[in-house]
Amino acid sequence: MSSYRDVMDGIPSIDGGYADGLIEFIRDTVRGSGCNGVVIGLSGGIDSAVVTKLAVDALGAENVINVFMPSSTTPKDDHRCTSEFSSSLGTDYRVIGISPMVDAFSSALGLDDGDRLEKGNISARCRMIILFDIAKRTNHLVLGTSNRSEMMMGYFTKFGDGACDVVPIVNLYKTQVRELARIIGIPEDFITKAPSAGLWDGQTDEDEMGILYKDLDNVLSRLDSMGDAKISEITGVSLEKVSEIREKVRKTAHKREPAISP
C-alpha cells in the first residue's frame, strides 16, 4: 500500500496499487477474524459505495450484506440508486426503515421537530444497532465507511456512523476517496452527488461545515507541518477558516480516541 504519488495540491494521489492493498487488507482481516463476511450500511453516498465495491472484490458478493436504512428525511432516489448498485454487484440487499425507532427514542427523550441534530444522532445510532445485530446473527464484521476528512473534523456520530469493526478508507481524504472511486469503477452518480449524512431535509456536509471538501482537505493535510498563516497563503482559504478548522480538529480529538480511563 505504498503507491502514493505526490501531486501539486499537497494531497497524495493514489493508483490501482492502493486499491489492491485495501482489497487484500479486507480479505486478510475477515479471514483472520473467523467471520463469514461483512455488513455495510449502503446510503447512496460515495464512501459506502467504495467500501462495498472493495469488499466485493475482496470477499465475493455472496459474502457482502448491504443494508439501506432510510429515515423520514432520506431522499427517495437513494432507494433506487442503492438497489441498482447492489444488484449490479450481486450483494445481499436489505431495506430496514428506521423512522419508528427514531420516533420512539425522540418521544421517550421529549424531543421536538426542532431538535434536528439530536434526531440525527439518534438516527445514526439506530442504524448501527441494526448493522451490529445483523452482523451478530450472520457471523459477519461491520465495515465502517468513514474517511479521514470526516474523522479529523469529528464529522460523525460517536457510537453511530463512527462505530464499526473495520474501517478500510479511514486513511483517505474525501478527495482521495473520489479518486479511488473512479479507479475501482464506481458509477459517476455516486461520485458527483453532493455529500450528505441525510440528517435532515436538504442537509449537505459542505454546507454544514462551511467549506468544500477540496479546500478542507488541502487545509487538513497541512495542519501538522505548517502554521495557519502559511496554510491560508498556500490554499487560499481564509486565515479565520483555517484557524477554525484547526480548533475543530483539536476539540473533537475525544471522538477519535478510546474512552478515557484513569
Side-chain angles (χ1 to χ4, degrees):
M1 296 173 65
S2 59
S3 52
Y4 272 78
R5 301 187 308 270
D6 289 335
V7 292
M8 291 299 291
D9 62 6
I11 299 174
S13 183
I14 58 175
D15 60 18
Y18 193 91
D20 292 341
L22 288 179
I23 291 167
E24 182 180 357
F25 164 75
I26 293 171
R27 182 185 299 121
D28 290 346
T29 301
V30 174
R31 285 177 178 173
S33 71
C35 290
N36 299 329
V38 296
V39 182
I40 304 163
L42 188 61
S43 66
I46 186 174
D47 299 312
S48 61
V50 165
V51 172
T52 294
K53 180 61 164 61
L54 291 171
V56 168
D57 291 344
L59 307 169
E62 67 277 10
N63 297 311
V64 177
I65 300 173
N66 277 135
V67 191
F68 177 61
M69 298 167 283
S71 71
S72 59
T73 61
T74 299
K76 288 183 170 52
D77 193 54
D78 285 356
H79 191 176
R80 176 196 61 79
C81 69
T82 56
S83 176
E84 290 178 356
F85 181 67
S86 175
S87 178
S88 72
L89 295 177
T91 64
D92 179 352
Y93 179 75
R94 308 181 186 185
V95 180
I96 302 177
I98 64 169
S99 290
M101 308 172 207
V102 175
D103 291 344
F105 274 112
S106 298
S107 176
L109 295 171
L111 302 182
D112 58 37
D113 291 338
D115 297 316
R116 299 192 306 179
L117 182 58
E118 290 87 342
K119 285 192 174 183
N121 286 331
I122 290 172
S123 297
R125 290 175 178 136
C126 284
R127 290 184 173 114
M128 206 49 60
I129 289 172
I130 292 169
L131 294 182
F132 273 99
D133 182 71
I134 293 173
K136 175 64 175 177
R137 287 187 279 114
T138 57
N139 191 34
H140 281 36
L141 293 176
V142 175
L143 286 198
T145 61
S146 294
N147 59 63
R148 187 171 183 174
S149 307
E150 294 169 339
M151 292 297 287
M152 289 185 71
M153 291 292 287
Y155 193 71
F156 59 92
T157 298
K158 203 170 185 178
F159 307 116
D161 50 322
C164 58
D165 293 311
V166 188
V167 57
I169 61 172
V170 73
N171 292 323
L172 297 178
Y173 294 105
K174 187 76 169 188
T175 45
Q176 294 173 310
V177 175
R178 290 188 178 125
E179 187 177 5
L180 177 60
R182 291 192 166 95
I183 290 172
I184 64 176
I186 299 299
E188 197 68 19
D189 286 351
F190 285 88
I191 299 173
T192 58
K193 181 186 295 185
S196 171
L199 300 180
W200 53 80
D201 289 330
Q203 183 264 340
T204 70
D205 297 2
E206 293 172 323
D207 283 347
E208 195 173 357
M209 290 188 290
I211 189 171
L212 298 177
Y213 268 115
K214 66 180 181 65
D215 295 325
L216 174 64
D217 289 352
N218 269 326
V219 173
L220 292 175
S221 65
R222 293 177 166 91
L223 287 180
D224 289 339
S225 60
M226 298 180 187
D228 292 357
K230 185 66 174 178
I231 294 174
S232 176
E233 177 187 344
I234 292 175
T235 64
V237 176
S238 72
L239 178 58
E240 179 183 17
K241 191 65 179 179
V242 172
S243 299
E244 176 189 318
I245 291 169
R246 186 182 293 278
E247 180 65 5
K248 186 71 171 178
V249 172
R250 186 192 69 79
K251 290 177 66 175
T252 59
H254 70 94
K255 299 180 74 172
R256 297 182 289 276
E257 299 295 336
I260 300 170
S261 59

